Amino acid sequence: MGIENLISVPKTTGPELVGNLMEHVRDYDITLKEHVRVDSIEKGNIKTITLSSGEQIRTRTVIVATGARWRELGVPGEKENIGNGVAYCPHCDGPFFKGKDVAVIGGGNSGIEAALDLAGIVKSVTVFEFMPELKADKVLIDQAQKRDNITIIKNAATRQITAENGKVNAIEYQDRSTNEVHTRELAGVFVQIGLVPNSQFMKGTVDMTQYGEIIVDTKCHTSEPGIFAAGDVTTVPYKQIVISMGEGAKASLAAFEYLLSHEVVESEQESEAA
Amino acid sequence: MLTKEILQALKSYAESMQKNVTFVVQTGEHSKREELVTFLSDIASVSEKLNVEERDTNGELRSAISFLLEADGEDTGIRFSGIPGGHEFNSLVLAMLHAAGTELKLDDSVKSMVKAVNEPLNFEVFISLSCHNCPEVVQALNQFALINPNIKTEMIDGGLYQNLIQERDIQGVPSVYLNGELFANGKVDASVLINKLIERDPSLKEASKGDALPLQDVTVIGGGPAGVASAIYSARKGLKVAIVAETFGG
């Protein structure tokens, strides 16, 4: 939750940063539509965005900056048991597993940090890493190895999460070197395997990579004229707050350039509205 | 429990209150009751418009550490079971200010939709005071309750209601129940609540259709660092900008 790499702001937290972002937005005449989702975007000189509330917004340009979310494992028993033993936020849900055995899936920085965080609360933590080696920073791995209630299992493919009476009771995984299948009894599974772009609603509207990242050029143009994209939802490398902010600025300047060279033809506007 | 600085800040917020707000605490016995009453009395000390009253609500409230908010003597539908400190302190302060007439933070189309609900909705939100995702859900539901008298909502601190947690088998927060049935748990935020309400009653969509915006130059989808940066840069160029976001902060 702590953020210490937002340059010129030595220390902040997620919620504090959100508060600051909101405060900055309020300094300007910007219309906010919160708590609604975009259902679809109709292309054209003037684009029509349909929201989950049924409302429509007509707009000359669109900037997609929907970010990325925690990646799901995609194994049986995961979706079914969210909130019943499957969790994505160790910070929030860790206390519910006090004195119990839990697993962390993923041996990257977020996985090892989660394990260290949980080790202070729960009885034991088992970290499952798909690859033969952990991807986390050495300092974190060293700390994890010092804890006697953290076990690390590498080269392990999670096959399913099982539940009994509506609660997670075990995880089944395959040792990728021997192909043997093992079961480990536990009460909770914390999934920490990186991010996936929030781009589904743009499918068919703009070009994406196989991972769902919206393909952008150096000026944040997508494959569709007048639609721009910025930040973690795009192909821009390195998902960092400072990078996202810079990308957002670039996308709006590129949108400004586009607007200068694409005047609105009123009659066209009327006919499209009709 | 509340520092001088916090009370000072509350005092300045309370100056904008238009209505009287009363914290109605259920009578009865509980080991935490004195702490709750002191907590609420400290808050109420900052303004004449705030009062604490101990009353038997005849089953309206869950236990002796539950309270509800009344605005000018009318039930707001907002209830808290537990002591809303920690991350929920803001939820209490906002509920109090919103009940007193401060403008709600919800989008107009969401307000129209919530206003259109015509059946009784009783929400129960299980939280923990260390959960940073929970206040958003509590605050959204509190505002729903203020918009529509058909809606009631209760924040429940899971830590103080272990029996209930076991009975409902709750392992993650926020966990939201509607009319006694599980409504949403796991990754819940305000937009999830709204989408679930629409799923439940698709006719609610009709209510918000009248609020169309004029033609925008730039519409930003997403309210994280990239979205906010692009909206601000666009606004600085004098463009007409809207941000559409499920949640601010990305």
Side-chain angles (χ1 to χ4, degrees):
Chain A
M1 285 264 291
I3 298 170
E4 298 179 4
N5 60 3
L6 177 53
I7 307 310
S8 87
V9 183
K11 263 197 173 77
T12 184
T13 63
E16 204 177 323
L17 176 61
V18 173
N20 292 341
L21 289 173
M22 287 300 289
E23 198 184 327
H24 203 166
V25 163
R26 281 197 211 97
D27 283 347
Y28 294 89
D29 185 14
I30 295 171
T31 306
L32 299 182
K33 291 269 159 203
E34 211 183 342
H35 308 321
V36 284
R37 203 176 47 200
V38 171
D39 276 350
S40 64
I41 296 181
E42 205 180 303
K43 300 191 231 186
N45 193 3
I46 289 173
K47 302 159 212 327
T48 304
I49 301 176
T50 304
L51 306 181
S52 54
S53 59
E55 195 183 345
Q56 293 194 323
I57 300 175
R58 297 171 63 252
T59 185
R60 295 170 66 195
T61 64
V62 175
I63 298 175
V64 182
T66 41
R69 62 177 187 284
W70 296 116
R71 207 169 108 200
E72 292 173 6
L73 266 174
V75 300
E78 180 187 24
K79 267 202 163 71
E80 299 86 328
N81 292 306
I82 291 177
N84 290 315
V86 175
Y88 299 83
C89 176
H91 202 77
C92 316
D93 296 338
F96 291 98
F97 297 90
K98 198 173 172 176
K100 296 181 177 167
D101 299 308
V102 303
V104 169
I105 314 293
N109 281 345
S110 56
I112 301 300
E113 278 172 10
L116 288 166
D117 196 17
L118 289 165
I121 307 169
V122 304
K123 190 168 148 210
S124 78
V125 186
T126 310
V127 178
F128 292 90
E129 166 58 45
F130 185 80
M131 301 303 283
E133 288 308 321
L134 297 178
K135 289 159 289 180
D137 294 342
K138 191 174 172 298
V139 279
L140 291 172
I141 298 173
D142 289 348
Q143 280 188 48
Q145 280 165 346
K146 275 187 213 146
R147 302 286 189 102
D148 44 14
N149 65 344
I150 298 181
T151 311
I152 296 170
I153 301 180
K154 293 180 252 192
N155 229 349
T158 310
R159 303 227 319 183
Q160 67 166 327
I161 297 165
T162 58
E164 200 178 58
N165 300 327
K167 297 285 142 188
V168 167
N169 68 347
I171 190 167
E172 190 184 298
Y173 67 98
Q174 187 169 34
D175 183 327
R176 296 172 64 226
S177 54
T178 62
N179 283 337
E180 270 175 56
V181 176
H182 304 276
T183 303
R184 206 169 175 100
E185 285 185 17
L186 37 75
V189 179
F190 288 84
V191 182
Q192 303 283 310
I193 50 169
L195 298 167
V196 59
N198 295 317
S199 61
Q200 303 82 328
F201 71 102
M202 294 300 289
K203 226 173 193 173
T205 310
V206 296
D207 291 349
M208 294 177 198
T209 66
Q210 56 172 318
Y211 308 108
E213 291 173 328
I214 296 175
I215 298 170
V216 288
D217 66 9
T218 50
K219 282 192 172 182
C220 302
H221 294 114
T222 68
S223 56
E224 177 62 24
I227 300 184
F228 304 81
D232 290 359
V233 74
T234 71
T235 45
V236 77
Y238 310 121
K239 312 308 186 202
Q240 297 293 317
I241 298 170
V242 273
I243 292 178
S244 291
M245 287 184 174
E247 289 292 305
K250 264 166 62 185
S252 69
L253 296 174
F256 182 65
E257 267 179 21
Y258 168 92
L259 287 167
L260 288 180
S261 58
H262 292 75
E263 286 296 316
V264 184
V265 185
E266 277 303 318
S267 61
E268 187 182 346
Q269 187 185 336
E270 292 305 314
S271 68
E272 283 202 18
Chain B
M1 189 164 163
L2 295 174
T3 63
K4 238 187 208 163
E5 288 74 29
I6 292 178
L7 290 172
Q8 200 57 45
L10 280 178
K11 194 171 189 170
S12 68
Y13 294 144
E15 278 164 14
S16 65
M17 290 177 66
Q18 294 152 29
K19 292 186 191 173
N20 289 307
V21 172
T22 308
F23 302 119
V24 180
V25 188
Q26 173 63 40
T27 49
E29 299 280 326
H30 193 286
S31 59
K32 287 266 186 184
R33 191 155 191 284
E34 201 184 319
E35 190 186 331
L36 172 66
V37 173
T38 309
F39 172 74
L40 292 175
S41 304
D42 282 353
I43 294 174
S45 71
V46 305
S47 166
E48 283 179 357
K49 289 203 147 63
L50 288 167
N51 287 294
V52 180
E53 199 183 308
E54 303 185 42
R55 192 195 300 163
D56 183 5
T57 59
N58 295 319
E60 196 60 51
L61 288 170
R62 182 176 301 278
S63 74
I65 45 162
S66 301
F67 63 97
L68 58 82
L69 270 63
E70 280 182 355
D72 281 350
E74 299 256 342
D75 185 2
T76 57
I78 299 174
R79 284 109 175 79
F80 291 87
S81 284
I83 303 171
H87 285 300
E88 293 302 338
F89 185 61
N90 284 345
S91 302
L92 175 62
V93 174
L94 280 172
M96 171 185 115
L97 296 176
H98 287 149
T102 306
E103 204 189 331
L104 303 184
K105 289 193 306 179
L106 296 172
D107 185 74
D108 285 344
S109 64
V110 172
K111 281 187 204 160
S112 316
M113 221 157 34
V114 172
K115 213 173 276 172
V117 169
N118 56 12
E119 55 174 334
L121 301 182
N122 287 305
F123 288 100
E124 294 163 299
V125 195
F126 291 87
I127 58 104
S128 69
L129 296 181
S130 58
C131 158
H132 59 90
N133 299 324
C134 294
E136 187 191 335
V137 175
V138 173
Q139 288 163 24
L141 290 170
N142 285 348
Q143 294 183 75
F144 290 4
L146 289 170
I147 292 170
N148 190 327
N150 284 319
I151 302 175
K152 288 181 183 171
T153 180
E154 177 186 10
M155 179 217 83
I156 302 170
D157 178 359
L160 295 177
Y161 294 89
Q162 287 296 342
N163 290 343
L164 205 54
I165 291 285
Q166 266 163 22
E167 188 187 306
R168 305 260 179 118
D169 232 350
I170 292 168
Q171 276 191 344
V173 287
S175 186
V176 184
Y177 281 73
L178 171 57
N179 298 342
E181 307 256 323
L182 183 62
F183 181 65
N185 72 347
K187 290 184 274 183
V188 192
D189 58 30
S191 64
V192 170
L193 298 174
I194 290 158
N195 291 330
K196 290 217 173 215
L197 281 178
I198 295 172
E199 266 171 41
R200 198 183 142 91
D201 180 4
S203 72
L204 293 180
K205 273 190 178 190
E206 297 303 316
S208 67
K209 283 216 167 128
D211 310 314
L213 290 177
L215 178 66
Q216 300 291 303
D217 292 319
V218 179
T219 301
V220 177
I221 308 173
V228 168
S230 47
I232 289 173
Y233 263 73
S234 301
R236 289 176 64 86
K237 288 282 182 191
L239 301 173
K240 200 180 263 300
V241 197
I243 305 182
V244 179
E246 281 194 56
T247 345
F248 265 90

